């Protein structure tokens, strides 16, 4: 199984036009797992996820921003991968996944923090 993974520093998701651009690129790239860093978002809910990735089978985990700094969002298509575990740290979001097609288990970590 060939997974498509996107990891992208988006430098903020508060702007509606920016979310639309990101949504269009996600549609074109047809990714299975997406990590967006520097979201600058404190709260992410289903409506927000739908505005970025219109897939009905999406699931996600996130690290809230601290003020207007940081934030990580990891999303995936549940038809392609199943989340087995998650860990949210001070500057990272990690998930252990199992591929739906071949049951291969693997891990992904998105990192964003101050220099």
């Amino acid at each position: 199984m060939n997974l498509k993974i996107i990891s992208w520093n988006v430098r903020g998701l508060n702007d509606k036009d920016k979310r639309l651009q990101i949504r269009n690129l996600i549609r074109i790239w047809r990714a299975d797992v997406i990590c967006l860093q520097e979201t600058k978002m404190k709260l992410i809910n289903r409506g927000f996820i739908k505005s970025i990735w219109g897939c009905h089978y999406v699931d996600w985990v996130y690290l809230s921003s601290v003020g207007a700094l940081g934030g990580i969002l990891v999303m995936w298509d549940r038809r392609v991968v199943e989340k087995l575990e998650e860990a949210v740290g001070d500057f990272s979001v990690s998930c252990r996944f199992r591929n739906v097609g071949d049951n291969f288990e693997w891990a992904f970590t998105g990192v964003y923090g101050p220099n």
Side-chain angles (χ1 to χ4, degrees):
M1 172 177 268
N2 291 329
L3 290 174
K4 291 183 182 177
I5 301 172
I6 295 172
S7 183
W8 185 5
N9 183 331
V10 293
R11 298 185 183 176
L13 290 174
N14 291 312
D15 182 22
K16 188 176 180 180
D17 290 333
K18 189 175 209 176
R19 287 195 305 269
L20 181 60
Q21 289 175 334
I22 290 169
R23 180 184 176 112
N24 289 334
L25 288 172
I26 289 171
R27 186 178 305 127
I28 291 167
W29 292 335
R30 302 169 67 105
D32 303 307
V33 177
I34 299 168
C35 178
L36 302 177
Q37 297 119 346
E38 199 179 1
T39 62
K40 299 183 180 183
M41 301 290 299
K42 287 186 179 188
L43 177 64
I44 296 178
N45 59 29
R46 181 157 296 282
F48 183 81
I49 294 296
K50 200 172 186 181
S51 75
I52 296 174
W53 195 4
C55 175
H56 295 291
Y57 303 98
V58 67
D59 203 356
W60 73 94
V61 63
Y62 73 99
L63 169 65
S64 297
S65 67
V66 177
L69 303 173
I72 302 170
L73 171 62
V74 177
M75 302 178 289
W76 59 92
D77 185 333
R78 293 185 324 231
R79 297 170 297 181
V80 179
V81 295
E82 171 190 4
K83 181 190 69 167
L84 303 174
E85 288 182 89
E86 68 181 60
V88 177
D90 291 336
F91 303 107
S92 66
V93 173
S94 299
C95 294
R96 188 166 64 99
F97 292 111
R98 177 184 299 133
N99 294 351
V100 171
D102 61 9
N103 289 322
F104 180 75
E105 292 185 18
W106 56 282
F108 177 87
T109 299
V111 178
Y112 184 82
N115 290 330

